Amino acid sequence: YNHRGWTGNGMLDFFTIFSKGGIVLWCFQGAGVSESFAGPVNALIRSVILQERSGNNSYTHEALSLKYKLDNEFELIFVVGFQKILTLTYVDKFIDDVQLHFRDRYKNELEQKGALKLINNSFEFGDDFKILLREAEDSSKARGPAAMRTFKESEKSQKTVKSMIETKGGEKVKEPVGKKNKNTKKEGSSKSPKPQKPRGKQMRVWDIGGRDTKELDHSKRNGDDSLNGTFFLDFSSKKGGAFGGMFGMLKGLVGSKSLSRDDMESVLEKMKDHLIAKNVAAEIAYQLCDSVAKKLEGKVMGTFTTVASTVKLALQDSLVQILQPKRRVDILRDVMEAQIQRRPFVVTFCGVNGVGKSTNLAKISFWLIENGFTVLIAACDTFRAGAVEQLRTHQRRLNSLHPPEHHEGRPVVQLYEKGYGKDAAGIAMEAIAYARNQAFDVVLVDTAGRMQDNAPLMTALAKLIAVNVPDLVLFVGEALVGNEAVDQLVKFNQALADHSMSDKPRLIDGIVLTKFDTIDDKVGAAISMTYITGQPIVFVGTGQTYNDLRSLNARAVVSALMKA
Ligand SMILES: Nc1nc2c(ncn2[C@@H]2O[C@H](COP(=O)(O)OP(=O)(O)OP(=O)(O)O)[C@@H](O)[C@H]2O)c(=O)[nH]1
Ligand SMILES: [Mg+2]
């Protein structure tokens, strides 16, 4: 009695079931097998399957033997891998059994064509597989008459199939069963009994594309890969027997088909939810996806591209486009130009309460001072208790960082304040006049926070801006903001337009995005704010010290947005 130490599943290195589009529906990795089998499987796909070398159903890759089986009805590929030195007599029959069983069990799911439908299904096949494997191994151990054994085994397996289908109910198998199956690359979240798993199912995809090799990476456990450079193909493009050859599907693919809205719908829906999860305002996520769809409708996709990857690329392009400044914003240069005209460069900060207007105004003061300019801070928040003192504290600190002794005895930053309760627009005007007189390079106007729905306060702000015509109107908004971003910006701009005294009203012409340090990768507010205003994010606040001021890295933001 010698089983060479194996415990029932020790003979196979792996077993994987994937669609001809490359979506991995299910896979199994043998106990103690640590090598990724992405390499061998991708090699099999490249050198056998894609080239229609389907003569005998086996393939060797280094020390591995691979056997595969095609299911042309459901467009599935079953691949098993084991060490070449092992002669596993049961493998051929085993593949057949697994194929039949898998088809039987997931008939309903497999009949719904379309890559996304496949992805959204959870194929909890582990327990069934183990039973089949044990039976196959047992039958090979007991070297009885082959015919008899096969018959007996198949009867047995049929029984198991039935009992399992009954208990689990045949259709959508989403409940957390089969968790003993430690060898499949499972997800923590699949333990959750909730039916909807937001990023629960780990999608694995083989490199069917054949161009750049995206291999299966087992170290990655971050759930939903569908937005993450994967390939999957849409079967909806298949029309009857229009494709020649057994693997016509893989080669022709969507190559000659132009995209319709229907093709993209499910992908777009997924993208939209993804963007919303990244804190992009829902309305904007919707509009973005809509415009991507419009951009792609009717487009003929290249060979080996997929709906998902096409949509993803288009979306990525749009996001970069949105974040790319349409207008040059170079404050230092503008300040120098104003210097030449012997006038101060005036910046007004506005925004709702507590978003970081005063703090970031102080950081920008520091940055200007470091660049050799002098700053006058106009304390035009005459409303909130402590607002003036807060600015005075900053002014003191900044002057101690850059003592007057180092600047020809002149303080680099000064505060212009008239206490509380007075008219902010008037104070701003006096401050600008004072700055002109005293040859300050820049005036930074702090204003009181106000909710966008507070009409009197919004009017007062619009008046301040209309009367003083600052060079730059900066809207300060928190990166934490979600749907609210749209309402804030629309109403601030509306107020400025309504109370403008010119036919070319001064609107918000730049954004300070604050508290960027507190949002992880939920960077969606950057998109919402630039999308709605068409104006650039001029500064990003990343903390509470004077140094925590950055410019926006559009590429990094987009990659954070696309990241699963
Ligand atoms: N983590 C972090 N905190 C910030 C940032 N910017 C501002 N804050 C904090 O946000 C809080 C509010 O900042 P203020 O500058 O007083 O905000 P405000 O918009 O002037 O507030 P009001 O004048 O009352 O409307 C303070 O505790 C700041 O330290 C930032 O970029 N990151
Ligand atoms: Mg303030």
Side-chain angles (χ1 to χ4, degrees), residues 352-360 363 381 384 390 449 514-515 517-518 541-544:
V352 306
N353 308 76
V355 291
K357 292 178 294 297
S358 308
T359 306
N360 286 281
K363 292 184 211 169
D381 180 354
R384 181 175 64 77
Q390 185 184 0
T514 64
K515 311 191 186 179
D517 50 314
T518 66
T542 56
Q544 313 203 30

Side-chain angles (χ1 to χ4, degrees), residues 7 16 23 53 59 72 76 92 115 144 152 199 226-227 234-235 276 325-326:
T7 53
T16 175
I23 304 162
R53 285 197 213 124
Y59 174 68
N72 289 319
L76 299 176
D92 285 335
K152 191 185 163 198
R199 15 163 68 203
S226 61
L227 292 165
D234 192 344
F235 289 135
I276 292 171
K326 276 131 218 86

